Amino acid sequence: MELVIGKGISLVEFGIFEAEAIQKLGKPDKSFTTDAQCKRLQYFDLRLELSFEPENHNRLGWIEVHNPDCQMFGRQLIGVQQGEVLDFVESNCNEEPEVEDYGSMESAFFSNCCLELQFEFGKCSNINFGVLYNKNDEPVW
């Protein structure tokens, strides 16, 4: 599975509707709605969560990846040491992240890439990323 910034993953692309995701990936193992009214679909075997956002007409706008086989910029990052991951992503995104420490977890956000990396126990635990927006604050599908 390949993660492509601003596009999606090899299985699904940003901008599709829930029915299209289900057609491509099958019935999710779990679905729920967040407090912000985002519809979330979880696929346990893929270790993947898709978020359909009401502010974007319920299109896929955010993907959360926990699958260690997933690659970004041609490399697997989940399970890799934090410093190594941050150096690699900084060089590919050409920006330094905003890092927040939540105690048991650290988050590094790359705003230009709409990319969040989460770290637990010093290693990348998951990759979250979203659709990119243009100058008019509209999603670039």
Side-chain angles (χ1 to χ4, degrees), residues 95-108:
E95 72 173 301
E96 289 187 28
E98 292 178 34
V99 178
E100 302 248 358
D101 188 341
Y102 294 99
S104 65
M105 182 268 291
E106 286 186 45
S107 171

Side-chain angles (χ1 to χ4, degrees), residues 54-123:
E55 65 270 17
N56 288 327
H57 307 289
N58 296 309
R59 292 177 177 265
L60 177 62
W62 192 254
I63 300 173
E64 186 171 320
V65 180
H66 295 259
N67 189 324
D69 294 329
C70 182
Q71 293 189 7
M72 183 170 71
F73 304 122
R75 182 172 174 196
Q76 293 174 318
L77 300 176
I78 295 176
V80 176
Q81 292 290 336
Q82 182 172 346
E84 187 179 339
V85 170
L86 289 177
D87 288 345
F88 179 74
V89 176
E90 283 177 27
S91 68
N92 282 280
C93 285
N94 298 313
E95 72 173 301
E96 289 187 28
E98 292 178 34
V99 178
E100 302 248 358
D101 188 341
Y102 294 99
S104 65
M105 182 268 291
E106 286 186 45
S107 171
F109 185 69
F110 295 82
S111 59
N112 293 339
C113 293
C114 198
L115 170 70
E116 178 193 22
L117 305 172
Q118 292 184 354
F119 300 92
E120 296 176 283
F121 302 102
K123 293 185 178 182

